[in-house]
Structure formats: structure tokens, C-alpha cells
Amino acid sequence: MAGRPHNENLAIAKLAGDKTYEGSIHAACGTTTRYTSGGGCVHCARAKQTEMRDALAEAKRARETADGFLETAVDNRLTEIATGPKEPWE
Ligand SMILES: [Zn+2]
């Protein structure tokens, strides 16, 4: 490695138009594949992406459940309106 630039792989990847290259070991995960643009860790970026996707799916599920409750509440309210307000003496 003596005399070679540390990011020689990056320079080659850029020339070749590759999206990723083998760079320095990422301390957090121990992998070496990095994005040519920005130098971010591919492994961690994908892990984060999966995490985000799961979180979004979870949020979507929660929202749909909330919508279900809301629809039930609206249905109940509409039924209430249709049948008229209860008089206090009823
Ligand atoms: Zn990483």
C-alpha cells in the first residue's frame, strides 16, 4: 500500500462509474463496501433503510387501525344522528 492513495479504490470506482467501492473498514459493522458518492457504509445504509421501511410499515398499520376506530366512531355517531337525540325523559 506504500505510496498509494488510501482511496485508490474510490478513484477507480469513480472512473469506472461504480456506485460502490471497497474502502476502509466501517468500525460500526466491520464491512468495507462504501458508496462512491459520499463514502457512506452500504451495509449500515441498507440496515437503516430496512429499519425505516419496517417503521413506516408499522406506522401505516397503526394509522389503519386508528382509521378503523375512527370509522366505527363516525358510524356510531351517524346512527345516533339518524335515530335522533335521546330526550331526557326517554
Ligand atoms: Zn457500517
Side-chain angles (χ1 to χ4, degrees):
M1 280 300 261
R4 287 183 179 176
H6 181 67
N7 58 353
E8 188 188 23
N9 285 338
L10 173 57
I12 292 167
K14 276 183 176 172
L15 283 173
D18 291 341
K19 284 198 169 65
T20 61
Y21 71 101
E22 293 305 311
S24 56
I25 292 171
H26 186 218
C29 66
T31 65
T32 56
T33 309
R34 294 186 175 252
Y35 287 110
T36 311
S37 128
C41 173
V42 172
H43 178 271
C44 288
R46 285 188 182 153
K48 199 169 177 92
Q49 214 169 36
T50 305
E51 202 177 282
M52 284 290 285
R53 197 182 54 217
D54 289 352
L56 284 173
E58 181 61 41
K60 189 167 182 282
R61 260 198 305 277
R63 199 164 55 235
E64 280 167 0
T65 306
D67 283 350
F69 282 131
L70 187 64
E71 271 168 37
T72 307
V74 169
D75 282 349
N76 289 344
R77 183 75 187 115
L78 287 175
T79 305
E80 206 175 289
I81 290 165
T83 54
K86 284 213 183 317
E87 299 297 345
W89 55 84
E90 278 182 351

